[in-house]
Amino acid sequence: MNLILFGPPAAGKGTQAKRLVESRKMVQLSTGDMLRAAIASGSELGRRVAGVMERGELVTDAIVIELIEARLPEADAAGGAIFDGFPRNVAQAQALDAMLAHRGAKIDLVVRLKVDDEALMQRIAGRFAESGRPDDNPESFKVRLDAYNTQTAPLLPYYRDQGKLVEVDGMGTVETVAAAIDKALNAPR
Ligand code: AMP
């Protein structure tokens, strides 16, 4: 089962993905985590993406597609992946479909966490102080939210048209949202 967790920054994708890793033994593929690891390791890739990430802009498609492709064997072995923060635009979604098709796999479900902008701003404001992420500040967060609205949200019809999109209220507690995701995953398709 291959699942995409979809939603704006600070919607709770990472938290929910980690829970699914525990409960379903799936592999979490977070391009944001991979890029942060590259920066932390001081690699050439890390140096190339650090400024772009800090500003809240998207890194190039080629970089994230390559990162994901390198991890797909791991997802195969685990019987499925949770894609978290990837794909971020239609070109990435098409590349993902092609990479999975090549392996005889596909995206089974896209879970959209719906959060309203006001709640998101409150959530992130609480996180600015403690996160330690250089892109968790008001200016970068606005750029990230804009990137989501202009480049990532247009992916919703892409998956809706394929009948893969389910929408979950992302406004509740971690447990309530987790229960709603489980219900979506367990529903017959
Ligand atoms: P995230 O942890 O998913 O919020 O990602 C943090 C940052 O990493 C984003 O603001 C982008 O700069 C970069 N990033 C992560 N995933 C992608 C992606 N799929 N495409 C482009 N940039 C990405």
Side-chain angles (χ1 to χ4, degrees), residues 2-6 81 83 86-87 96 107 109-112 159:
N2 287 303
L3 167 74
I4 297 175
L5 275 182
F6 196 95
F83 294 91
F86 181 92
L96 178 60
I107 291 297
L109 199 66
V110 179
V111 176
R112 174 194 187 185
Y159 289 115

Side-chain angles (χ1 to χ4, degrees), residues 73-88:
E74 213 181 297
D76 280 350
I82 307 152
F83 294 91
D84 160 14
F86 181 92
R88 284 286 228 278

Side-chain angles (χ1 to χ4, degrees), residues 31-32 35-36 53 57-59 64 85-86 88 92 133:
T31 38
L35 292 166
R36 280 184 289 276
M53 281 179 74
E57 296 161 9
L58 295 185
V59 310
V64 285
F86 181 92
R88 284 286 228 278
Q92 292 180 17
R133 269 177 65 160

Side-chain angles (χ1 to χ4, degrees), residues 4-80:
I4 297 175
L5 275 182
F6 196 95
K13 300 185 296 290
T15 305
Q16 294 298 336
K18 289 192 171 59
R19 191 192 57 86
L20 289 168
V21 167
E22 291 289 312
S23 62
R24 299 193 179 235
K25 308 291 169 230
M26 293 166 82
V27 168
Q28 176 191 11
L29 297 182
S30 158
T31 38
D33 284 353
M34 294 175 207
L35 292 166
R36 280 184 289 276
I39 293 174
S41 76
S43 68
E44 199 260 319
L45 169 65
R47 282 195 296 279
R48 240 183 324 144
V49 298
V52 177
M53 281 179 74
E54 186 161 352
R55 289 193 296 278
E57 296 161 9
L58 295 185
V59 310
T60 60
D61 293 342
I63 290 177
V64 285
I65 290 167
E66 200 178 315
L67 286 172
I68 286 286
E69 189 163 32
R71 300 285 296 275
L72 287 180
E74 213 181 297
D76 280 350

Side-chain angles (χ1 to χ4, degrees), residues 80-134:
I82 307 152
F83 294 91
D84 160 14
F86 181 92
R88 284 286 228 278
N89 59 33
V90 173
Q92 292 180 17
Q94 288 169 338
L96 178 60
D97 283 347
M99 290 188 288
L100 290 174
H102 189 68
R103 299 175 157 270
K106 62 177 172 43
I107 291 297
D108 298 288
L109 199 66
V110 179
V111 176
R112 174 194 187 185
L113 299 182
K114 287 186 83 174
V115 198
D116 73 45
D117 281 3
E118 191 55 37
L120 217 51
M121 293 310 287
Q122 281 176 10
R123 202 177 272 193
I124 191 71
R127 195 161 104 178
F128 288 155
E130 73 229 36
S131 89
R133 269 177 65 160

